[in-house]
Amino acid sequence: MEVTRRVRADAGWRSRVEARWARAGRGEPPPRGVCAEPRGFGRIRFEGVDGDLTRFLGEPPSLGLGETGRGLKLLALSGGGAGGAFGAGALVGLSRAGVRPAFDTVTGVSTGALIAPFAVLGSDWDPRLDAAFTDGYAEEVFAFTSARPWPSLYPGEQLAALVARHIDDDVLTAVATAHRAGRRLFVATANLDAQSTSIWDMGAIADTGGTRALELFRNVLVASASLPGIFPPVMLNVENDGRSYQEMHVDGGATTPLFVVPEALLSHHAQGWDGAGVEVFALVNTTLEPTSWLTPNHAVPILVRSFELMLRSSYRSALRSVAAFCAINGFTLRVGSLPPQPAGVSLLRFDRATMTRLFAEGLAVGEAEGLWSAPA
């Protein structure tokens, strides 16, 4: 009788919880400690509680060199709003100069996540990368006529349409091919329910193939770039042990502005990779140095300047962590970042003129082979 009473009480409690989530317009998130995944995809993400460095660096090479004989090259792409146009231009510039590395692993956050698929695919995809940041569609997405006061400044459909415009079946197939060849692509989102970072194995998603894989691939990119308040969260349906859940994900920069490996692994030693010629390239799509000019005493410029200060501080902190990880393991670290911008330039402006100028600036730096430097 006591067991029956408890079962009924538990069922009643769960029913009330599910009704509450339904009234909130969403499904119940996974309970704490439950690792759920989208149905039919297997293990396609890292939540910081499992796995090891081999998932991100691959198996240690037997002869101290990667399979191509040139060591391992890893590219980490940060967020930065419209500054992503600089990073995109820089990669195209490196291609034109004939010095762009063939990256074995690419990681991306926010606007860096939108660059990442084309970065891992290589120079042949530069026309797509160029168009993604300079064709003017972003200006339509961020037009004042598209703004609305609630629940976010811009509708999520706008950003989803931008991603769908450039991420199609051809991109998915190419990423899957790269994944099977051993190259890796990871994108970070912030899981608001769990208050944690989800790092998605985009190559594994692509390798699943089909319409559902393309949909999830796009949704993760949209989530990673959905700055809270600017775009609404992305709801992702997951399951565990036959039970369905729903998670709320936003811009990966909310927790992880830049990553090489998950935060939980930053203090780990990469056994077997000593002297293997590992090179880490961190491309920061914002200005790392302070820019001093008068801030008007009005709400919008104060908000924008504060946001930029927060971004700059978080990126510098993330870079220090990456530098420490590389020092522990004897990896070479090179950093590229957006040069200081003129007074009044905001990386929250996505008009075509601004993004084309930032792309051209990155292009020039890349072509001149002046992008990378040792960390300060």
Side-chain angles (χ1 to χ4, degrees):
M1 288 292 293
E2 178 63 19
V3 172
T4 300
R5 186 186 66 80
R6 288 181 179 177
V7 169
R8 288 176 177 171
D10 181 68
W13 172 82
R14 180 165 293 280
S15 178
R16 291 192 297 274
V17 169
E18 290 175 346
R20 186 174 73 244
W21 288 115
R23 288 195 300 272
R26 58 159 301 182
E28 177 188 1
R32 186 175 182 83
V34 171
C35 296
E37 299 280 1
R39 178 182 296 179
F41 286 93
R43 185 168 176 250
I44 56 170
R45 62 172 165 172
F46 181 89
E47 288 281 1
V49 295
D50 62 340
D52 56 36
L53 285 174
T54 59
R55 187 152 183 206
F56 298 86
L57 302 179
E59 293 293 335
S62 58
L63 300 176
L65 290 173
E67 60 177 326
T68 60
R70 57 173 176 76
L72 180 78
K73 299 185 187 299
L74 190 152
L75 173 66
L77 295 158
S78 84
F86 170 83
L91 289 177
V92 175
L94 292 174
S95 294
R96 293 187 182 181
V99 295
R100 177 167 160 182
F103 297 108
D104 302 282
T105 298
V106 176
T107 71
V109 180
S110 194
T111 192
L114 304 183
I115 300 171
F118 304 107
V120 79
L121 293 180
S123 300
D124 289 346
W125 291 78
D126 281 355
R128 287 274 196 116
L129 181 58
D130 185 335
F133 284 87
T134 64
D135 69 0
Y137 191 73
E139 185 172 17
E140 296 180 32
V141 171
F142 289 91
F144 285 118
T145 53
S146 298
R148 62 187 186 187
W150 186 88
S152 59
L153 188 58
Y154 296 99
E157 296 81 8
Q158 297 280 85
L159 182 57
L162 185 149
V163 170
R165 181 182 178 92
H166 300 289
I167 303 297
D168 56 17
D169 286 316
D170 290 341
V171 172
L172 194 77
T173 299
V175 170
T177 300
H179 180 77
R180 289 193 291 272
R183 299 202 296 280
R184 294 292 177 260
L185 172 62
F186 298 103
V187 165
T189 63
N191 183 336
L192 283 187
D193 296 313
Q195 293 192 320
S196 65
T197 302
S198 289
I199 295 178
W200 300 84
D201 188 337
M202 303 299 281
I205 294 173
D207 197 33
T208 303
T211 302
R212 292 182 64 249
L214 180 59
E215 179 183 12
L216 180 60
F217 195 98
R218 288 170 170 172
N219 284 342
V220 171
L221 293 181
V222 172
S224 186
S226 290
L227 185 66
I230 304 298
F231 289 106
V234 173
M235 309 306 299
L236 297 177
N237 296 317
V238 297
E239 66 172 26
N240 173 270
D241 198 23
R243 182 168 181 81
S244 297
Y245 302 100
Q246 192 175 61
E247 298 174 346
M248 179 181 285
H249 289 257
V250 297
D251 193 313
T255 56
T256 308
L258 172 84
F259 75 99
V260 172
V261 296
E263 184 179 3
L265 301 180
L266 280 173
S267 61
H268 288 211
H269 179 71
Q271 297 288 343
W273 282 98
D274 307 70
V278 178
E279 295 178 274
V280 175
F281 298 82
L283 182 47
V284 182
N285 294 302
T286 191
T287 302
L288 291 173
E289 299 303 320
T291 52
S292 179
W293 63 71
L294 184 146
T295 303
N297 192 20
H298 299 289
V300 173
I302 290 173
L303 176 64
V304 169
R305 287 286 280 165
S306 298
F307 175 74
E308 291 173 348
L309 176 60
M310 178 190 68
L311 283 181
R312 186 173 296 116
S313 298
S314 65
Y315 292 145
R316 291 180 69 90
S317 177
L319 275 175
R320 285 192 291 270
S321 296
V322 169
F325 171 75
C326 289
I328 289 171
N329 289 287
F331 299 165
T332 299
L333 174 61
R334 295 184 174 86
V335 178
S337 63
L338 178 67
Q341 297 297 297
V345 171
S346 169
L347 297 185
L348 292 179
R349 290 187 59 185
F350 294 84
D351 60 279
R352 188 171 189 175
T354 296
M355 295 188 71
T356 299
R357 181 186 64 78
L358 288 169
F359 185 92
E361 190 170 353
L363 185 70
V365 172
E367 282 190 296
E369 301 182 36
L371 179 62
W372 308 116
S373 63

